[in-house]
Amino acid sequence: MWKKTPLYVKILLGMGLGILAGLFAVYFNLSEISNDWIKPWGVIFLNLLKLIAVPLIFTSLVKGISSLSNISKLSRIGIKTISLYVISTVIAVSFGLFLVNFIEPGNTFPDHKKLELQEKFNSTVDLNKNLASELKNESPLKFLVDVVPSNFFEAATDNSKMLQIIFFAILFGIAMVILEEKKIKVVREFFNGIDAIILKIIDLIMLFAPYGVFALITGLIVDFSGDMDLFSALGLYALTVISGLLIMIFVIYPLFLKFFTPIKYSNFYKAISPAQLLAFSTSSSAATLPVTMESVENKIGVSNEVASFVLPVGVTINMDGTSCYQAIAAVFIAQVFGVDLDIYDQLIIVVTATIASIGSPGVPGGSIVMLIIVLTSVGIPVEGLALILGIDRPLDMLRTVVNVTGDATVASIVAVSEGKLDPVPEVLVEKTHI
Ligand code: ASP
């Protein structure tokens, strides 16, 4: 019975039981037991996912690119992918801006709470400020310099340097496309073998997913129990962020799917639900990548060639949930501090939030440092970050779901446009054939 239960149901069960166990631990003062005996299993699960992320990105990109018959096809897929990523990000930021200007959550924020929160989180803000000013003092081309690693192994040992791995994998793949087949035959077979091994390892790790998710959620509830009153103070802000993110999930992506693919969105969501649930429990789109790839290829039918290029790139540069949240957070802080933002400032936010989300790593809280860049670009006091840090984690969980859903949506659209979707019948809109 347990064996036949679909993975997403098992993960949901793990989540539900995790919430109960967490509440139980908080209520009966068992936090220490939870931290000592349950939380570590969550950390182990997260480590397993991170462990496989770099090898997966590298092999799947090399395999995907080297299977393309020519370079022009690669640049065509590349241009489509990047354009769709930028368009969806700009839409997300614009929706965020619209909502936060419409709801104005910052204008009802009590003054005494402002002081209280600032005192509580000032040291963290200082830390982030230093990091951000280091970033700001660099050349505008720094992001390009950062993409090119000087040492492959150094890049491969740091999960935040995924873009460097992607760069080398693309270079490697391109060289394979250019070279004569007989020279690289062995290498191609080698990568096919490694790819199969990595996919098997992911299957094995996923057997542990329901338990890992249980442990992660229990740990989160226990960690969070002290901050419950923050929810009421920041309720309207949180609600604005949540509405923006839900609009992305339930309106924008379904529209994308409806116009550009024959896929029914409810079936699409069912297919990628294990990835969404994992994104929610880990707050890391990079850690979720193995499962996103598995779902998009096996449950939707996107070809390996497209998925293995579009998804790893998306994990590093496409973060619609993050950019939507950054726009809302920036304007919320401006409203609380009485900083007036005109239309020109709001346009600057669209640009900086788009760039900041591209630069944010797919790890828990990855966008906080980048948010400072958005704030300073329009003169919003960085101290305002203290207001929102306390409830960042639950919002991070939801924005990571959006980030992952956005990647999967773009992968499907690119696959359809390239004739590389061999749809699993269950995901199609009825009676549609391609
Ligand atoms: N946690 C997010 C992700 O992994 C990034 C962020 O918004 O902080 O996609």
Side-chain angles (χ1 to χ4, degrees), residues 283-286 319 322 360-368 396 399-400 403:
S283 284
S284 168
S285 39
M319 300 208 175
T322 298
S360 303
V363 297
S367 52
I368 295 290
D396 192 4
R399 63 183 188 252
T400 310
N403 292 345

Side-chain angles (χ1 to χ4, degrees), residues 134-135 137-147:
E134 271 171 31
L135 282 177
N137 289 336
E138 303 283 352
S139 139
L141 291 183
K142 179 165 190 302
F143 75 98
L144 270 185
V145 176
D146 281 349
V147 170

